[in-house]
Amino acid sequence: DAGVTQSPTHLIKTRGQHVTLRCSPISGHKSVSWYQQVLGQGPQFIFQYYEKEERGRGNFPDRFSARQFPNYSSELNVNALLLGDSALYLCASSHQIRQGGPYEQYFGPGTRLTVT
Amino acid sequence: GNSVTQMEGPVTLSEEAFLTINCTYTATGYPSLFWYVQYPGEGLQLLLKATKADDKGSNKGFEATYRKETTSFHLEKGSVQVSDSAVYFCALGGSGNTGKLIFGQGTTLQVKP
């Protein structure tokens, strides 16, 4: 079975531009989460979507938005890019969510975004 | 709030040495605990997990035991290989009704032949 896929692999943008990152979850998985990983640090949670509804949001500005489609794929959008948005953006999928976990999530290879 | 603290790296070991990477956490409720590994240029791979106190997660020779009394989830391996060189992340998740994972800062392991 295919794992989590993300596109594009690498992206270079200029400050002030907009970017859209895409993610396809593992077949049968209904939950998609997005994380930002700055070089040398652990991933930081941005959003989680389950059954097309936002279920969690991290401490990121409103420039960051996301959505989930009927086929459970997802897009992460970032407006008005800043130099500090340069990072590896990771998508993770899981079969479901429920209180207590275990929230086993499977990560894609990531999209490397460079803002110049 | 919930948080995870890992021992700082890098950790440099010779092949076949014993590995311990310390991880402690702060959390309310009964979170699940995970170890993820990230090889150079790749995303994160789930290495092992534990969902309740005293559970031991294990995979590929790695082990970690969920210790509620010491709020720890230390990663161990009896004999490391060069191919184990990577960054290891301890993560906490499962509180409430979201799938949010909280990661430590990561520990780089370098194994020399």
Side-chain angles (χ1 to χ4, degrees), chain B:
Chain B
N2 294 351
S3 65
V4 175
T5 302
Q6 288 181 235
M7 65 185 288
E8 292 191 14
V11 174
T12 302
L13 296 173
S14 297
E15 206 165 22
E16 299 183 1
F18 184 85
L19 168 71
T20 299
I21 299 178
N22 290 339
C23 170
T24 57
Y25 68 91
T26 301
T28 56
Y30 303 95
S32 298
L33 298 171
F34 306 87
W35 276 100
Y36 281 86
V37 58
Q38 187 174 35
Y39 298 100
E42 299 184 11
L44 277 71
Q45 298 178 22
L46 178 63
L47 183 59
L48 53 83
K49 67 178 181 182
T51 58
K52 62 183 185 295
D54 300 325
D55 266 3
K56 177 185 284 188
S58 62
N59 186 28
K60 299 180 181 179
F62 292 90
E63 294 183 339
T65 301
Y66 188 158
R67 301 285 189 200
K68 192 169 177 63
E69 65 275 13
T70 56
T71 62
S72 65
F73 192 55
H74 305 322
L75 182 68
E76 297 181 337
K77 187 176 185 183
S79 176
V80 294
Q81 306 300 314
V82 172
S83 57
D84 294 327
S85 298
V87 182
Y88 292 81
F89 292 95
C90 184
L92 176 156
S95 295
N97 61 355
T98 78
K100 175 182 178 180
L101 289 174
I102 297 172
F103 286 87
Q105 71 271 33
T107 301
T108 300
L109 170 65
Q110 183 178 20
V111 180
K112 296 185 174 181

Side-chain angles (χ1 to χ4, degrees), chain A residues 1-63:
Chain A
D1 287 341
V4 177
T5 59
Q6 293 186 242
S7 63
T9 305
H10 296 89
L11 202 53
I12 299 175
K13 290 286 190 178
T14 304
R15 277 176 298 176
Q17 286 188 316
H18 162 90
V19 69
T20 298
L21 310 181
R22 295 177 175 82
C23 170
S24 292
I26 292 171
S27 178
H29 284 192
K30 299 180 179 180
S31 173
V32 170
S33 298
W34 288 95
Y35 292 81
Q36 180 196 64
Q37 186 180 18
V38 174
L39 193 63
Q41 297 181 20
Q44 297 291 317
F45 174 77
I46 309 175
F47 285 110
Q48 185 193 30
Y49 278 77
Y50 178 68
E51 291 280 19
K52 301 181 290 293
E53 292 186 0
E54 182 183 303
R55 291 302 188 97
R57 174 185 284 256
N59 188 25
F60 280 81
D62 292 343
R63 299 185 296 107

